[in-house]
Amino acid sequence: MEYNNPIILQDFSDPDVIRKNDNFYMIASSFNHTPGVPILKSKNLVDWKIIGYVFENLPFERFKDVYHGDGAWAPSIRYHNNLYYAVIPFPDEGIYVSSCTDIEKGDWTEPWCLIPGKGLIDPCPIWKDGKCYMAIGFAKSRIGFNSCLGLFEVSNDLKTQISDTYTIIYDGHHMNPTIEGPKFNERNGWIYIMAPAGSVKTGWQVCLRSKNIYGPYEPKIVLMQNDSKTNGPHQGALIELKNDEWAFIHFQDKKCYGRICHLQPVKWVDDWPLCGMVKDELIAGTPVDTHPYIIDKKSNFKIPTSDNFASDKLSLIWQTPANKQDGWYKLDNGLILNCYYHDEKSYNSLNMSPNLFLTKLAYLSFNVETLVDIKLLNDGDEIGLCYMGSEYSYICIKRIDGQNHLQVKKGYFNNELDEVVFDSIYKNNEIKLQMKFKEPGIYKLGFNNTIFKETYNALPGRWIGGKIGIYAKGKKIGGYGLFKYFKVREVKWKKTINLY
């Protein structure tokens, strides 16, 4: 059996992975979106499913509002003394930790603060010689510098900061600028730190090694784009399998599709983990497009892309860009989204609305449709289907002067008012809202099998890919939309054929 990269064509940024017996568990960034910090499971490192999230809401009051790109940055996951630990950086608040005993049940604790402070990111612990140490990176936007890796000593239970401050253990300014995302491993008496450098879009993967936790660390580039089509390749996890076999999972920045996940084989050469296709043992490996399964095991795990809203719980594919509030939704023969008012800023600009129900892009080209019973009562009530990124467009039904109007709008991050580009009275009580999305990132909107000619550019969000989703908002309570289903269907096309 062979697998194809990417193994996950979805935006699971900054993946970290551990093995527990025959299972693999992945953790990823979620930024301002909730529920936050997803947990995925695999049997073979290729097929994955979402099994839960570390927290339902971000543990800070300010996230009742939308703060694009803030929140939970690159986390790490480790297992120690019968506990799973998720170590999560909040770049404006500090390093937080949550633990659980049963990762399948997801009995994660409320996150606690281990190390307070701005600009401390990308934490990863290691337990060695009876002590625990935490590697970190630095966010220049918060602390004024980057391109270095630091180290704290902390208590073994990750409850207490022991060292007063960090020690710089590697300075990458000259050889590996913007180095970040450190992940600890051990093998053959060496301490290893895998860390990306260069940049998210055009960088490379560095391995640092030392016999001493404080260094000095010797660097080697172990994976870079070379002649492959995989730019980056960026932050990820070196994973110990069985019988001294290893693998490496990392992300690739693919613009509107987000930070998608790739799997690389690992070959140890002179105690260095060369990743990908090793053409010359003296230089870095190259990302593979296809490769025989590293773990030759079949699995039916997959991440759903559609939802018929038949469950009594919201599917794990949905996130909101701020903490959820009571009364936003309920499941009753479909998904009822209530016309909720947050504030004037979010009412006028959809990207600031906390109650968007969004899901990740999952295919290069695809069609979306959602069927909605229109139950708008008050002027200003609105329901719709959107593409959300730093530039976005959406199709909606809005109640104006006692009548429902079909509208198409567009907007931008940092603009205070979205622009109406189409408006017409709509008299039916039901509508099928549609989107046609085409690689490399353009889309059209439509309704009831009528697709508008206008095309829109799909741009990523802040540190994330674009998302698609549904919403309801208003000025008064009472109105709602009953969403019967949300279907996403992959479209495969030949480049010689113009689907538009």
Side-chain angles (χ1 to χ4, degrees):
M1 293 194 301
E2 288 197 340
Y3 68 88
N4 297 315
N5 273 321
I7 53 170
I8 306 177
L9 184 60
Q10 292 194 38
D11 184 19
F12 288 97
S13 180
D14 309 310
D16 191 24
V17 180
I18 59 168
R19 178 179 65 85
K20 182 67 169 66
N21 300 323
D22 291 328
N23 297 316
F24 297 90
Y25 298 102
M26 179 190 293
I27 197 171
S29 302
S30 54
F31 300 97
N32 55 295
H33 291 257
T34 65
V37 185
I39 303 294
L40 294 84
K41 178 182 178 181
S42 178
K43 293 286 189 180
N44 58 15
L45 293 175
V46 174
D47 306 302
W48 294 85
K49 66 178 181 180
I50 306 173
I51 61 172
Y53 292 85
V54 173
F55 52 79
E56 184 62 30
N57 279 329
L58 288 151
F60 307 103
E61 176 64 22
R62 73 183 179 104
F63 286 102
K64 69 180 187 301
D65 300 317
V66 176
Y67 289 90
H68 294 295
D70 288 5
W73 285 22
S76 62
I77 184 170
R78 290 294 183 269
Y79 184 78
H80 181 72
N81 281 351
N82 300 314
L83 284 176
Y84 295 90
Y85 288 99
V87 188
I88 307 164
F90 297 94
D92 296 297
E93 290 85 11
I95 306 299
Y96 280 65
V97 182
S98 177
S99 67
C100 76
T101 57
D102 190 334
I103 198 169
E104 300 282 339
K105 290 183 179 178
D107 57 340
W108 293 97
T109 63
E110 185 75 17
W112 68 82
C113 183
L114 173 61
I115 305 171
K118 281 181 175 287
L120 310 178
I121 59 171
D122 304 342
C124 182
I126 187 172
W127 289 265
K128 187 166 181 62
D129 300 328
K131 295 183 177 182
C132 185
Y133 302 91
M134 187 75 67
I136 59 165
F138 299 93
K140 187 174 183 179
S141 59
R142 269 69 170 189
I143 204 170
F145 69 93
N146 59 7
S147 299
C148 294
L149 301 180
L151 190 74
F152 281 93
E153 184 181 348
V154 298
S155 61
N156 279 286
D157 60 2
L158 303 187
K159 292 286 180 71
T160 306
Q161 175 183 334
I162 293 177
S163 57
D164 291 334
T165 187
Y166 53 81
T167 298
I168 297 296
I169 57 171
Y170 182 75
D171 186 335
H173 279 91
H174 297 297
M175 292 180 62
N176 292 298
T178 69
I179 193 167
E180 58 182 352
K183 295 292 186 293
F184 273 125
N185 291 93
E186 287 188 278
R187 181 182 179 271
N188 287 352
W190 289 100
I191 301 166
Y192 292 95
I193 299 176
M194 295 290 281
S199 71
V200 170
K201 293 180 174 62
T202 60
W204 52 88
Q205 197 66 221
V206 179
C207 180
L208 308 175
R209 73 178 186 184
S210 177
K211 297 285 188 175
N212 186 296
I213 192 69
Y214 286 100
Y217 281 89
E218 178 186 3
K220 184 178 180 66
I221 298 174
V222 295
L223 180 68
M224 61 190 307
Q225 181 171 358
N226 294 323
D227 59 355
S228 77
K229 62 184 179 182
T230 304
N231 59 291
H234 209 69
Q235 189 163 330
L238 185 64
I239 310 155
E240 184 175 6
L241 311 181
K242 295 179 179 179
N243 303 317
D244 199 33
E245 292 185 279
W246 295 69
F248 184 64
I249 284 180
H250 64 92
F251 80 75
Q252 171 200 12
D253 186 287
K254 198 169 175 64
K255 299 181 179 179
C256 65
Y257 301 98
R259 297 170 173 187
I260 60 177
C261 297
H262 290 243
L263 171 64
Q264 307 297 338
V266 172
K267 180 180 182 180
W268 288 92
V269 177
D270 296 330
D271 283 328
W272 289 107
L274 301 185
C275 302
M277 180 187 298
V278 179
K279 301 177 183 179
D280 184 334
E281 293 184 353
L282 296 178
I283 61 176
T286 301
V288 300
D289 292 331
T290 63
H291 190 271
Y293 272 60
I294 297 171
I295 298 174
D296 193 14
K297 183 183 294 184
K298 291 184 178 180
S299 170
N300 62 358
F301 288 0
K302 62 180 181 180
I303 301 170
T305 58
S306 299
D307 195 351
N308 62 7
F309 304 121
S311 174
D312 60 352
K313 292 184 178 180
L314 196 63
S315 168
L316 295 175
I317 69 172
W318 298 106
Q319 292 176 291
T320 58
N323 288 341
K324 289 183 180 63
Q325 305 295 323
D326 293 339
W328 281 6
Y329 76 98
K330 69 176 180 178
L331 288 153
D332 186 1
N333 295 312
L335 176 63
I336 295 173
L337 296 185
N338 293 313
C339 293
Y340 169 85
Y341 180 77
H342 184 66
D343 58 26
E344 201 64 16
K345 177 175 65 175
S346 60
Y347 183 81
N348 291 330
S349 183
L350 192 69
N351 81 88
M352 299 305 294
S353 297
N355 54 320
L356 305 180
F357 287 74
L358 302 172
T359 187
K360 303 174 190 293
L361 308 189
Y363 304 111
L364 295 177
S365 299
F366 56 90
N367 294 336
V368 184
E369 65 177 59
T370 183
L371 184 65
V372 196
D373 281 353
I374 303 167
K375 303 292 184 180
L376 307 184
L377 296 181
N378 307 299
D379 282 355
D381 284 355
E382 182 177 313
I383 56 174
L385 167 71
C386 69
Y387 173 87
M388 184 50 61
S390 59
E391 178 181 320
Y392 57 92
S393 300
Y394 53 106
I395 185 167
C396 62
I397 297 291
K398 183 172 183 177
R399 190 80 169 169
I400 302 172
D401 294 332
Q403 290 184 301
N404 291 338
H405 286 236
L406 175 68
Q407 294 187 333
V408 176
K409 303 182 187 182
K410 64 179 182 181
Y412 307 86
F413 283 12
N414 301 320
N415 276 19
E416 295 182 355
L417 184 64
D418 293 345
E419 177 187 356
V420 177
V421 297
F422 176 86
D423 183 285
S424 178
I425 291 175
Y426 187 82
K427 294 185 177 180
N428 294 343
N429 295 322
E430 183 180 76
I431 189 168
K432 181 167 67 174
L433 302 174
Q434 296 169 272
M435 180 187 300
K436 289 185 177 290
F437 193 103
K438 178 182 175 183
E439 186 185 6
I442 57 173
Y443 63 97
K444 293 183 175 184
L445 300 170
F447 70 104
N448 297 344
N449 298 324
T450 297
I451 306 300
F452 292 106
K453 292 181 179 180
E454 288 78 12
T455 60
Y456 301 95
N457 292 320
L459 298 185
R462 179 70 168 163
W463 311 128
I464 64 171
K467 293 193 174 189
I468 52 176
I470 52 181
Y471 72 92
K473 62 179 180 177
K475 292 292 188 78
K476 300 177 181 178
I477 61 173
Y480 63 92
L482 173 58
F483 291 80
K484 300 292 190 65
Y485 61 76
F486 184 91
K487 295 179 181 178
V488 180
R489 180 176 61 85
E490 183 179 14
V491 175
K492 295 184 178 181
W493 55 281
K494 295 180 182 180
K495 291 187 177 180
T496 56
I497 297 176
N498 184 358
L499 294 182
Y500 288 77

